[in-house]
């Protein structure tokens, strides 16, 4: 009797599984085969075959290529009116964006210098409690030189170094000008 009950349960379960599978097979047998006829295939999101160049209106996704992020709050030592910080530009990532915020009430002169060439890429005086940003592009179309950079901060009128420095800055390097 036990074996008959087991066999009945197994049969009922087997049928319960077989009926949906048979029904889905019957439904899918009437589907037309896939075609490669160009009129039957539509690529509505992006008709461009060049995946490296964004096409306006196609909702293209541009990959992010940021290499290095840097920044900090820089304060001069008590009794001093200048301070420095540094960052590095890796070869191939010569487009740079830096945001500066002068937290002091006094002006501060900010100079961004490439160490190997002593070339100043940015030199501005920020008034007290103000902000500024610098983008290397379009000013330097080919990108800045790779290597080490020093950011010099000098507090006081015209950056004379007579007032304390308190500046927050942050930036990044990239190989893509559209990220700036």
């Amino acid at each position: 009797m036990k074996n008959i009950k087991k066999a009945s349960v197994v049969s009922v379960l087997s049928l319960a599984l077989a009926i949906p599978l048979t029904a889905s097979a019957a439904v899918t047998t009437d589907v037309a085969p896939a075609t490669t006829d160009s009129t039957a295939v539509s690529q509505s999101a992006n008709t461009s075959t060049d995946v490296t160049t964004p096409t306006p209106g196609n909702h293209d996704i541009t990959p992010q290529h940021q290499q290095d992020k840097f920044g900090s709050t820089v304060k001069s030592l008590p009794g001093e009116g200048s301070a420095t910080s540094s960052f590095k530009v890796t070869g191939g990532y010569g487009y740079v964006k830096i945001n500066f915020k002068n937290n002091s009430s006094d002006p501060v002169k900010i100079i961004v210098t490439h160490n190997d060439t002593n070339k100043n890429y940015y030199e501005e005086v920020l008034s007290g409690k103000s902000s500024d940003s610098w983008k290397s592009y379009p000013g330097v179309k080919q990108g800045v030189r790779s290597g080490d950079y020093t950011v010099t901060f000098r507090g006081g009128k015209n950056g004379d170094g007579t007032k304390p420095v308190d500046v927050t800055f942050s930036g990044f390097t990239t190989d893509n000008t559209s990220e700036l």
Side-chain angles (χ1 to χ4, degrees):
M1 196 66 146
K2 281 185 178 181
N3 288 340
I4 293 174
K5 283 185 181 178
K6 277 187 183 179
S8 298
V9 170
V10 169
S11 296
V12 170
L13 290 175
S14 297
L15 281 173
L17 291 173
I19 290 171
L21 291 175
T22 306
S24 68
V27 170
T28 58
T29 55
D30 294 335
V31 174
T35 179
T36 57
D37 180 12
S38 63
T39 58
V41 177
S42 172
Q43 187 182 10
S44 61
N46 187 350
T47 57
S48 170
T49 56
D50 180 5
V51 296
T52 59
T53 305
T55 305
N58 283 344
H59 308 289
D60 295 322
I61 298 173
T62 304
Q64 300 293 311
H65 299 282
Q66 292 182 6
Q67 175 67 21
D68 296 312
K69 293 182 180 185
F70 53 88
S72 65
T73 296
V74 179
K75 295 183 178 187
S76 58
L77 295 173
E80 293 188 15
S82 65
T84 61
S85 189
S86 62
F87 66 94
K88 182 179 183 122
V89 174
T90 303
Y93 292 84
Y95 300 110
V96 181
K97 180 177 181 180
I98 308 175
N99 297 308
F100 300 100
K101 181 178 182 224
N102 183 0
N103 302 313
S104 169
S105 339
D106 297 305
V108 64
K109 184 174 192 173
I110 303 171
I111 306 168
V112 177
T113 307
H114 181 254
N115 293 355
D116 290 340
T117 62
N118 288 322
K119 177 177 175 62
N120 293 341
Y121 282 96
Y122 174 87
E123 188 170 345
E124 293 292 328
V125 175
L126 268 82
S127 57
K129 303 291 184 184
S130 69
S131 300
D132 192 25
S133 65
W134 172 66
K135 298 176 186 178
S136 62
Y137 182 86
V140 186
K141 292 196 185 303
Q142 75 280 9
V144 299
R145 293 175 182 261
S146 63
D148 295 322
Y149 284 75
T150 298
V151 185
T152 304
F153 304 91
R154 292 190 191 121
K157 186 177 180 182
N158 297 320
D160 60 9
T162 59
K163 299 289 183 176
V165 169
D166 183 1
V167 176
T168 302
F169 79 104
S170 63
F172 64 89
T173 65
T174 181
D175 64 352
N176 187 343
T177 59
S178 66
E179 293 177 19
L180 296 178

